Amino acid sequence: MSIHPTPATPLAAPPRWAVWAAHLVTLVVLPSGVWRIVMVIGFPAGYTETGFEPFETLGAKVWMLTLSVLSELVAFLTIGLVRQWGEIVPRWIPLVGGRRVRPVAAIVPAALGAATLTLIWANVPWWWTYPHENMTPAGNLIVGILYQPLFLWGPLTAAVTISYYRRHRAAQRRTSAG
């Protein structure tokens, strides 16, 4: 059974909470990304002098910058679940621009991503129970605080994904009934 609405089937607007949640996803990723970028520019950001040494290599800096940018871009994709570009591919994208997004092509990766992110960040609330010998006490506190929002990334993405799925399912039901 397809949950892909026909072009004549209008899709309900996303609920306000889903729009807020989608935008919040980009914000929960931001503090940890900014922290890594601070390290890329050479500030120890909570590490002891010895603990910061591994992060001073070019490879580490490229990795931290790449991780920060990619994390924010992936988080930004959640907004597509509540915006028009999550329904129709923007025309400026080569080969596929202007085509309708098959809901399953958005729902499956978003759901898998939400589950994965939930598992990855599930232990963040217990940050302070793990030893961090290479960090200063203040650094340990600050980094823990900056990483806490990541705990919400998976659940928020899951909620927005469920909303997207429900809107498409409702549109498909209207098409079948009408």
Side-chain angles (χ1 to χ4, degrees), residues 35-43 52 60-62 64-65:
W35 173 73
R36 284 188 296 273
I37 290 170
V38 165
M39 289 179 34
V40 167
I41 61 175
F43 187 73
F52 186 64
K61 289 176 186 276
V62 168
M64 289 186 295
L65 186 58

Side-chain angles (χ1 to χ4, degrees), residues 44 47-54 56 134 136:
Y47 279 97
T48 63
E49 192 174 314
T50 306
F52 186 64
E53 285 177 17
E56 293 185 290
N134 292 330
T136 66

Side-chain angles (χ1 to χ4, degrees), residues 55-120:
F55 298 103
E56 293 185 290
T57 67
L58 178 60
K61 289 176 186 276
V62 168
W63 167 248
M64 289 186 295
L65 186 58
T66 301
L67 180 60
S68 295
V69 171
L70 285 178
S71 293
E72 200 61 46
L73 288 174
V74 168
F76 183 73
L77 287 175
T78 307
I79 295 175
L81 298 173
V82 296
R83 291 289 182 246
Q84 183 65 28
W85 54 271
E87 307 299 330
I88 299 173
V89 179
R91 293 209 175 273
W92 58 267
I93 296 181
L95 304 175
V96 295
R99 293 186 184 174
R100 294 188 66 75
V101 174
R102 290 182 45 118
V104 72
I107 294 166
V108 171
L112 291 173
T116 302
L117 291 164
T118 299
L119 290 173
I120 288 172

Side-chain angles (χ1 to χ4, degrees), residues 21-43:
H23 285 83
L24 186 57
V25 167
T26 63
L27 296 177
V28 301
V29 176
L30 195 58
S32 59
V34 169
W35 173 73
R36 284 188 296 273
I37 290 170
V38 165
M39 289 179 34
V40 167
I41 61 175
F43 187 73

